[in-house]
Amino acid sequence: MNQFESLSRRAIQAPESGIVAVVNHGRLKAGLIPLWAGEGDEKTPDFIARPAAEALLAGETFYTWQRGIPELRQALADYHGRLFGRQLPLDAFCVTGSGMQAIKIAIEAVVNPGDEVIQITPAWPNFAAALGMSGGISVAAPLDYVEGSWSLDPDRLAAAITPKTRAIFFNSPSNPTGWTATPEDLTAVLELARKHGLWIIADEIYTRFFYAGGRAPSFMDIMDEDDRIIFVNTFSKNWSMTGWRVGWIVAPPSIIQVLENSVQYQTSGVPQFMQKGALAALEYGDAYLETQITKASAARDLFCDALTGTNRVVTQKPDGAFYAFFRIDGISDTKAAAIDIVDRVGVGLAPGTAFDKGGETFFRACFLRRLDHIEDAAGRLADYISSL
Ligand SMILES: Cc1ncc(COP(=O)(O)O)c(C=O)c1O
């Protein structure tokens, strides 16, 4: 047995990201417009970076609260109060090292090896991969797709439930489709969870990027105190902080200590100076976030209109998140095509093969960028499409 073969089965089986092969191919290409990753093009604003830098220089470099400094948890409670009209206690919050780590902690809290978790697909790949590393099994419940529009069939979700099901991972607004659950969808899912005693891992990280105005419908609107819901969230997307790796969880106070223990044995907490930056994002970041939503909304219109204008793409403007998810007539091997698109017109797209059942023949493009770049990228794609 060589070194590789003697690793654990779970480690070996964890898949490489389906986007990475395309990124590695195109990363160094001059003039490339990268729309493949789930992030915007702006660095973190100074009003967030400065307090973090100052705290670092001031020596806030010691071990700190595992579940997050009280000021940050208070600011999170206030933020949730403002956004959802729900006043939650401080011990409903746990600060984490990214949204990804929040997901990992939620999985560890509710899933035993061999348990099944249902997720809506097409889906961002990391949940299923992280679940697999914890010995859980991901079960796909595909959305319906008609003429560019996605919808949830709650009966299909119900049909995926087996005696081994422990939880539903529910991402709305969705990466990659932009599909956003209606209040009726959320009620149907919550009723299913209640009926079968399932946990819901609610990934509502894109809730602010909702183009009908306001925020997206949330389980926060309909849940009771004794519902089994763990909300995973992140500072990454709202405040241009993807590289910071800071997120948070909202959960019933009765389980927060268990989640905090998980933080202890993974990272032992988020650096205190970074928490000071996160605090500034919550306290002073509303206006900045509005600029991001306005920017995303204009980019969405520009990009989607340009694609549909080719008459070779059928897509509808997504209701939420900041991705266009579209098919190009005549292309079925999206991984090979994504590489070809990099080579020929210098646009970086994520191939749909990365996004689980139902997404294979699509491409995903993140449009949270300067409008001139989005216009340029859409024009290059139109040229590519007309050359086919
Ligand atoms: C649906 C969804 N959930 C969670 C995350 C995790 O975000 P992060 O780990 O950057 O905080 C992402 C990032 O792309 C995402 O798209």
Side-chain angles (χ1 to χ4, degrees):
M1 216 190 267
N2 63 27
Q3 290 160 327
F4 181 84
E5 288 160 353
S6 64
L7 295 176
S8 78
R9 218 174 321 115
R10 278 184 209 164
I12 290 177
Q13 283 171 358
E16 204 180 320
S17 160
I19 308 173
V20 165
V22 183
V23 175
N24 284 345
H25 178 79
R27 196 189 289 279
L28 299 176
K29 189 176 165 75
L32 180 105
I33 304 178
L35 309 181
W36 45 38
E39 62 186 351
D41 57 353
E42 289 179 30
K43 72 178 178 70
T44 307
D46 287 359
F47 76 89
I48 296 172
R50 193 166 292 119
E54 282 167 2
L56 172 63
L57 290 169
E60 296 193 30
T61 53
F62 295 92
Y63 288 134
T64 187
W65 301 68
Q66 308 293 301
R67 64 175 68 177
I69 55 175
E71 307 94 285
L72 182 54
R73 281 183 287 128
Q74 182 62 55
L76 282 167
D78 295 344
Y79 174 78
H80 283 259
R82 288 199 300 278
L83 197 57
F84 301 105
R86 203 176 253 273
Q87 218 47 60
L88 297 163
L90 248 55
D91 55 2
F93 295 91
C94 182
V95 177
T96 61
S98 75
M100 187 61 238
Q101 195 194 31
I103 289 172
K104 188 71 188 156
I105 289 169
I107 290 170
E108 282 178 2
V110 304
V111 175
N112 289 307
D115 286 347
E116 294 175 359
V117 181
I118 299 169
Q119 72 163 342
I120 309 294
T121 66
W124 179 60
N126 288 30
F127 173 76
L131 176 67
M133 288 199 79
S134 292
I137 298 155
S138 150
V139 176
L143 294 170
D144 288 331
Y145 177 77
V146 183
E147 292 289 307
S149 174
W150 301 89
S151 59
L152 177 74
D153 176 358
D155 291 338
R156 182 165 316 157
L157 193 63
I161 297 173
T162 76
K164 286 187 176 170
T165 309
R166 282 284 285 176
I168 300 169
F169 177 76
F170 201 81
N171 170 220
S172 167
S174 149
N175 173 5
T177 60
W179 166 80
T180 302
T182 62
E184 294 74 33
D185 291 332
L186 294 174
T187 303
V189 173
L190 184 56
E191 274 169 10
L192 272 180
R194 285 175 179 162
K195 182 169 161 204
H196 295 274
L198 307 178
W199 278 93
I200 294 172
I201 302 174
D203 180 336
E204 300 182 354
I205 73 163
Y206 296 103
T207 192
R208 305 297 298 274
F209 289 88
F210 182 57
Y211 301 106
R215 59 157 174 85
S218 165
F219 282 114
M220 288 268 169
D221 300 327
I222 54 172
M223 69 182 190
D224 289 336
E225 258 174 38
D226 54 358
D227 279 320
R228 300 178 188 180
I229 306 182
I230 300 175
F231 293 86
V232 293
N233 219 321
T234 178
F235 288 86
S236 287
K237 316 284 176 169
N238 289 359
W239 295 285
S240 303
M241 293 171 70
T242 48
W244 286 57
R245 321 307 304 132
V246 188
W248 74 91
I249 284 176
V250 186
S254 60
I255 72 162
I256 281 286
Q257 186 57 51
V258 173
L259 306 183
E260 179 177 341
N261 296 343
S262 204
V263 171
Q264 169 72 27
Y265 303 123
Q266 293 188 35
T267 51
S268 303
V270 173
Q272 186 164 307
F273 58 90
M274 299 212 320
Q275 295 194 48
K276 291 292 173 71
L279 179 61
L282 293 173
E283 286 185 337
Y284 310 113
D286 285 353
Y288 177 78
L289 177 50
E290 287 305 325
T291 66
Q292 296 302 292
I293 297 164
T294 306
K295 176 176 173 177
S297 174
R300 157 186 174 262
D301 290 350
L302 186 68
F303 193 71
C304 293
D305 287 344
L307 286 185
T308 43
T310 64
N311 294 322
R312 303 279 298 276
V313 172
V314 177
T315 187
Q316 289 197 4
K317 294 174 186 172
D319 294 330
F322 41 63
Y323 306 98
F325 200 57
F326 57 96
R327 267 183 186 145
I328 300 174
D329 256 3
I331 294 181
S332 50
D333 183 346
T334 55
K335 192 168 164 196
I339 287 177
D340 195 37
I341 290 169
V342 166
D343 288 344
R344 289 179 45 202
V345 295
V347 177
L349 300 177
T353 41
F355 301 103
D356 211 328
K357 284 205 179 60
E360 298 84 347
T361 55
F362 290 75
F363 296 93
R364 188 194 73 176
C366 172
F367 51 69
L368 183 56
R369 293 189 85 76
R370 299 166 38 166
L371 285 188
D372 56 331
H373 282 183
I374 290 299
E375 194 170 6
D376 189 357
R380 294 185 196 190
L381 286 173
D383 289 347
Y384 180 83
I385 291 168
S386 62
S387 77
L388 291 176

